[in-house]
Amino acid sequence: MDDQLLRMINQILAKGETAALVTIIATRGSTPRKAGTKMLVLPQGEIHGTVGGGCIEADIRRAALQAIADGESTTGTFTLLGDTAADEGMVCGGIVEVFIRVL
Amino acid sequence: MRQQTAESYHKLLQLAEQGRTVNTLSLVSGPPKVAGHLGQMLLVFPDGSADGVIVDGELTRAALAHVPRPAVKPALFAFDHGGDTYRCFFDIAAPKRQAVVFGGGHISQPLVAILALMDFRVTVVDDRPDFANRARFPQATTVLCTAFAKAGEQLDLGGASAVLILTRGHRYDIECLKMALPFTPRYLGMIGSRRRVTAIMDTLLAEGEDPQRLRAVRTPVGLDISAQTPAEIAVSIAAELVAAYHGGAQYRPLSEKVFRHG
């Protein structure tokens, strides 16, 4: 993991604050980023790192914010196959599964 | 749980700062009874030992036993335990790749910036204080102002390192190359005109340097993209380095790879 991300996670935990660390755990088909890629989502919606950008990242960010609100870590599957993806010009045509770790 | 997470991340940071590789194993899904344990994480060391607990000792051992071998890349895996299915994610936390740039000249500046963007820890070495300073290389992790021949005593150029030799003169290039060769870095590149690099190679061969080791040197450094300016040359070097790190030697446009027009 990126040292900078690791430092931010430590700061968040030390201050007793919360956030969600999103990790791509599996991919199928063509996806912009591979397993192990991480993105940190703060409760206000700010993100650090990227899981590929575009609409899929927006969906994942939304799911991460929901997980923070629920206070529960979870997994989620997101697809780049939809019409929205094509409209956005993101036609990688893949599926990513992420683990959302609520810190 | 939160306390445990904080301790794990604290250890991960400490290890990363020491440049050590440590992998992690996290529980990502399981039966409802372990819902509160999702995200529990083990630190897994290169010698196979592990630190931390996933649910309990028994499940921890079961999870570790099911890590796909060889454990060299991130992997999601499932296993059955006590009639339930669990899934864990094995993650690799390799230390940042290192690049050492010899010479603080006009090509090194954009090159260091690009390498830093690619998440390398970059060390710049030059023997002139006007060139080896942080103001010139704000993105570098370390800037060493020392005689080139002395730098080898302070640096580890082996393993996954990239070494780029871009000094101001042929004499210094030879010094740096001699210093770097025994480390067999992942990527070893040296800039120079056809004449300059031929002369250097001939000298080293005449001195009894191993021809096979010399063949591994990428010189003149970079891909042939007709680069002209320092920034363009830096791009050409960085592109070759990317290919070297990802095991590719096929430098061709993706358009040629994808479309084969008659």
Side-chain angles (χ1 to χ4, degrees):
Chain A
M1 186 182 339
D2 193 285
D3 287 7
Q4 211 185 329
L5 217 51
L6 207 43
R7 254 178 230 115
M8 289 184 74
I9 293 167
N10 273 281
Q11 280 166 7
I12 289 163
L13 290 166
K15 282 193 247 167
E17 290 169 1
T18 180
L21 178 66
V22 177
T23 307
I24 296 183
I25 57 174
T27 63
R28 272 212 308 279
S30 178
T31 56
R33 302 296 301 268
K34 300 302 170 202
T37 303
K38 291 177 185 64
M39 176 173 86
L40 187 66
V41 181
L42 305 186
Q44 302 79 14
E46 195 181 315
I47 61 171
H48 295 273
T50 176
V51 288
C55 47
I56 195 168
E57 187 161 285
D59 290 347
I60 292 172
R61 174 174 163 273
R62 207 170 303 126
L65 289 171
Q66 188 58 52
I68 293 173
D70 297 342
E72 277 173 23
S73 300
T74 182
T75 53
T77 301
F78 299 85
T79 170
L80 280 159
L81 299 171
D83 293 340
T84 334
D87 289 345
E88 299 252 334
M90 302 256 307
V91 282
C92 285
I95 294 170
V96 299
E97 186 176 2
V98 300
F99 178 57
I100 302 172
R101 181 197 300 273
V102 176
L103 297 170
Chain B
M1 171 80 188
R2 202 179 152 83
Q3 186 57 32
Q4 191 194 354
T5 306
E7 277 170 24
S8 298
Y9 278 107
H10 186 63
K11 282 182 196 159
L12 272 178
L13 181 61
Q14 283 180 324
L15 291 161
E17 282 171 346
Q18 292 163 14
R20 286 176 59 193
T21 298
V22 55
N23 301 321
T24 58
L25 186 60
S26 303
L27 179 66
V28 300
S29 69
K33 67 182 179 197
V34 299
H37 296 270
L38 297 185
Q40 279 188 326
M41 179 165 69
L42 306 179
L43 305 190
V44 184
F45 298 94
D47 65 1
S49 65
D51 184 68
V53 176
I54 291 178
V55 183
D56 56 27
E58 220 181 295
L59 193 68
T60 302
R61 278 187 294 278
L64 280 168
H66 285 88
V67 175
R69 312 274 167 202
V72 290
K73 57 178 187 185
L76 176 68
F77 63 94
F79 62 96
D80 292 325
H81 181 77
D84 294 307
T85 300
Y86 295 83
R87 290 195 312 155
C88 285
F89 184 63
F90 177 76
D91 204 357
I92 303 279
K96 268 191 175 186
R97 298 173 295 185
Q98 172 192 232
V100 179
V101 179
F102 290 102
H106 56 301
I107 294 169
S108 299
Q109 279 189 298
L111 182 59
V112 168
I114 295 172
L115 290 170
L117 273 177
M118 298 198 306
D119 219 21
F120 275 82
R121 294 164 57 98
V122 190
T123 300
V124 184
V125 184
D126 202 299
D127 54 354
R128 302 163 295 176
D130 286 351
F131 288 82
N133 62 68
R134 292 219 67 91
R136 246 176 105 72
F137 296 101
Q139 304 95 338
T141 310
T142 313
V143 181
L144 286 179
C145 186
T146 175
F148 291 115
K150 283 257 167 73
E153 297 163 12
Q154 300 179 43
L155 297 168
D156 178 6
L157 306 176
S161 299
V163 176
L164 297 134
I165 302 173
L166 312 156
T167 77
R168 64 188 178 281
H170 150 261
R171 184 158 69 89
Y172 305 105
D173 284 347
I174 287 205
E175 269 181 27
C176 294
L177 191 54
K178 278 187 185 170
M179 187 169 55
L181 280 168
F183 287 99
T184 59
R186 173 80 69 91
Y187 178 93
L188 176 52
M190 182 175 71
I191 206 161
S193 62
R194 180 189 296 252
R195 213 174 112 190
R196 178 161 146 180
V197 303
T198 308
I200 291 175
M201 288 307 192
D202 288 348
T203 307
L204 288 177
L205 277 175
E207 286 180 5
E209 184 54 65
D210 178 2
Q212 201 166 340
R213 260 193 345 199
L214 282 178
R215 267 198 295 277
V217 181
R218 291 158 197 267
T219 188
V221 70
L223 298 189
D224 186 2
I225 54 169
S226 307
Q228 306 281 330
T229 65
E232 288 174 358
I233 294 166
V235 167
S236 128
I237 297 171
E240 186 181 44
L241 197 144
V242 168
Y245 270 83
H246 295 304
Q250 296 181 39
Y251 315 126
R252 56 180 173 175
L254 286 171
S255 57
E256 259 175 37
K257 186 175 167 184
V258 175
F259 300 104
R260 295 207 177 80
H261 299 299

